[in-house]
Structure formats: C-alpha cells, structure tokens
Amino acid sequence: MTLAKSVFSLKDLRATLYEGALNGSASVDLSRAVPRYALAARLKGVDVDPLLTDYDKDLSGLLRGRLAGTLDLGASGAGMDTMLKTASGSGAVELTDGSLTSFSVLKQLAALLELAGGKGIGKESTPFESLTSDLTIADGRARTDDLALRSTDLDLDAKGWVGLDSRLDLDVTARFSEESTRGMVAKNARLGGLTADDRLVIHFGLGGDLASPTFRLDSRAQVQSAKEKAKEKLRERVTDRLFRKLAPAEPEGTPEAPPGDQPPH
C-alpha cells in the first residue's frame, strides 16, 4: 500500500473471489472533489453464478461456469451506483464448461424450427464448452463485436451490448452442428435453403432484460444469407461451365500406333 499526492494505491493485489482468484492493482485518487478509482485485474477460476447472484438477485441461475480474463477499468463517484454508471475501460473474458440455465437459446430456436419440421433440439439449458468476448465498457454498457459461444449442438456469434443495468441488445448468428442440421433437413427439405457449409444458420436478436430476454428473428439478415448462398451457387455453376469449355477435348477411341512401331510378325 502507498499513499502519495493524495493517491492511495494497492499493488500486487491478490484476493480469493468466488472460489477463484483476482490479481492486479487498484487505486483511488482522493485529490478530486469526486474520488476517481482505477482497477487493473486478472481473474481466474471465478464461479460466475454466485457472482451474478450477488450483483442482481434476478440473475441467479442465469449463467454457470468458471470465469477467467482481464479487466482495466476506471470510475468515479461516491457510491456504487454512480461508479457503475461512470465505469469505462476494456476487458476480455472467457467462461468454460458452463451453461445458460434461466432461458435456453436452443429451446427458443427449437420452438421456431419446430414449426418448419425441426424437432429434438430444445433443452432446458444450453451447455457450452466456452464463451468468450472482448469488451469495451462505457456509458453503463459492455459492448462486444466478437462474443462467441461454442457447444456440441450449436455455435453462437454475437455483437451488441449488455448493460450494467442487466438490459441487453445483441444481434446473434446461430450455427447448428452438421448432425443436427442433417436431422432437421431430413424432416423438412426447405430448411436446406438456410444452410451454409452443411450447417443450418439462423439470424436473430436478443433484447429486453438479461434474465428473460425477448427473441426476434432477423428476417433481413436471413434473406441476405439466402441471397448470398444463391449467388455462390450461381458462381459455382458458371465456373464449372467455364472450365468445361476450356478443358481440352478427350481423344475418341485408342490411337493407332505408327507403322514403324508395329511389332514384327
């Protein structure tokens, strides 16, 4: 601990945090009329569920897994609410061996796909191997352009923001596994038009409250994907025809050997 020029600093800070660990440094500038705080931290093995529960009881059971990552934050204020609103900085997080439990993205997608003949996808929770994201924090929101969830049945890629008030607005692309895709396309061939690289692709948005988000299909992105797929198929056909025209013609029959090469009788 040091105190210099009205700045109180903690260096080589180590703490146990929700069965995990926090390492880093922190400081508070007391020379200002409103104190200014700074935190640079590394997290490892933090149990996410009790962390979210203590932050907001409505988030209890929403997300499970072990959190690792980095945070570099600054904030000012005389109370926690003000500090959260003024917080700014960046971070990178990774959750492993977790699940989304209060709402199931798979279940909501399955309800939509069931109308088109796809069944057997919905679950009460969405288990995942990893959930990663780089974050930019400002104006009470954590913004991301590369949120990625990876699981056996489904991959999710999203961009948008999650507010420190538990609101969210995310544009999401879901890619089902090849095995799940084959099963659904077998039941309804029309779903084949929504595939890319043998995987069913669905574009949707999540909004509202983090504990019970609203689900909306992104029809514009879905149509755009279908157009891109149609263009790609057209390019493949044109390329195939072009190569066929440029390819040398195969000789017909077996050519006769020159007279001098005839074997002696």
Side-chain angles (χ1 to χ4, degrees):
M1 297 183 293
T2 61
L3 178 60
K5 297 181 180 180
S6 298
V7 177
F8 178 68
S9 301
L10 295 173
K11 296 182 179 180
D12 192 23
L13 174 64
R14 289 171 289 177
T16 299
L17 183 69
Y18 298 99
E19 300 183 12
L22 180 150
N23 295 277
S25 61
S27 66
V28 54
D29 186 348
L30 301 173
S31 66
R32 301 165 175 259
V34 178
R36 175 71 180 174
Y37 304 88
L39 172 67
R42 298 183 304 277
L43 304 172
K44 183 178 181 181
V46 176
D47 191 349
V48 170
D49 184 37
L51 170 63
L52 292 178
T53 300
D54 284 347
Y55 180 77
D56 186 338
K57 299 299 182 184
D58 291 337
L59 301 181
S60 177
L62 170 69
L63 184 63
R64 302 183 187 278
R66 293 289 176 171
L67 172 66
T70 60
L71 288 173
D72 189 354
L73 299 175
S76 59
M80 183 58 68
D81 290 340
T82 304
M83 290 169 61
L84 290 175
K85 290 179 181 178
T86 60
S88 62
S90 61
V93 296
E94 178 181 15
L95 275 73
T96 55
D97 299 324
S99 63
L100 293 166
T101 55
S102 289
F103 70 96
S104 171
V105 173
L106 282 175
K107 189 173 183 179
Q108 294 185 64
L109 287 174
L112 176 66
L113 294 170
E114 188 173 4
L115 299 176
K119 297 181 180 180
I121 300 298
K123 297 180 179 180
E124 291 304 318
S125 64
T126 305
F128 58 82
E129 286 83 35
S130 67
L131 191 160
T132 61
S133 178
D134 292 322
L135 303 172
T136 300
I137 301 167
D139 302 322
R141 294 175 176 178
R143 301 179 185 275
T144 178
D145 290 323
D146 61 357
L147 188 150
L149 180 147
R150 299 292 178 256
S151 70
T152 302
D153 298 317
L154 178 71
D155 290 340
L156 299 177
D157 294 280
K159 60 181 180 179
W161 55 264
V162 176
L164 300 180
D165 59 355
S166 300
R167 306 288 292 176
L168 80 160
D169 186 5
L170 293 173
D171 295 321
V172 187
T173 298
R175 294 178 175 85
F176 285 85
S177 66
E178 292 185 22
E179 182 179 357
S180 297
T181 297
R182 284 194 296 270
M184 288 186 287
V185 173
K187 292 182 176 71
N188 190 329
R190 290 178 298 175
L191 294 177
L194 303 179
T195 62
D197 297 326
D198 299 322
R199 302 179 68 181
L200 180 62
V201 181
I202 303 294
H203 300 277
F204 64 96
L206 291 175
D209 186 77
L210 186 62
S212 54
T214 57
F215 175 89
R216 65 183 185 277
L217 183 66
D218 190 341
S219 56
R220 179 178 297 179
Q222 207 70 53
V223 170
Q224 184 63 31
S225 293
K227 289 181 179 179
E228 290 297 329
K229 183 176 181 180
K231 290 179 181 179
E232 183 61 31
K233 286 186 175 180
L234 178 59
R235 284 194 292 266
E236 290 177 356
R237 288 198 298 267
V238 170
T239 302
D240 184 59
R241 291 175 182 175
L242 179 61
F243 279 132
R244 287 182 181 180
K245 290 181 178 180
L246 295 177
E250 292 291 336
E252 296 182 1
T254 303
E256 296 183 1
D261 294 335
Q262 294 294 331
H265 295 286

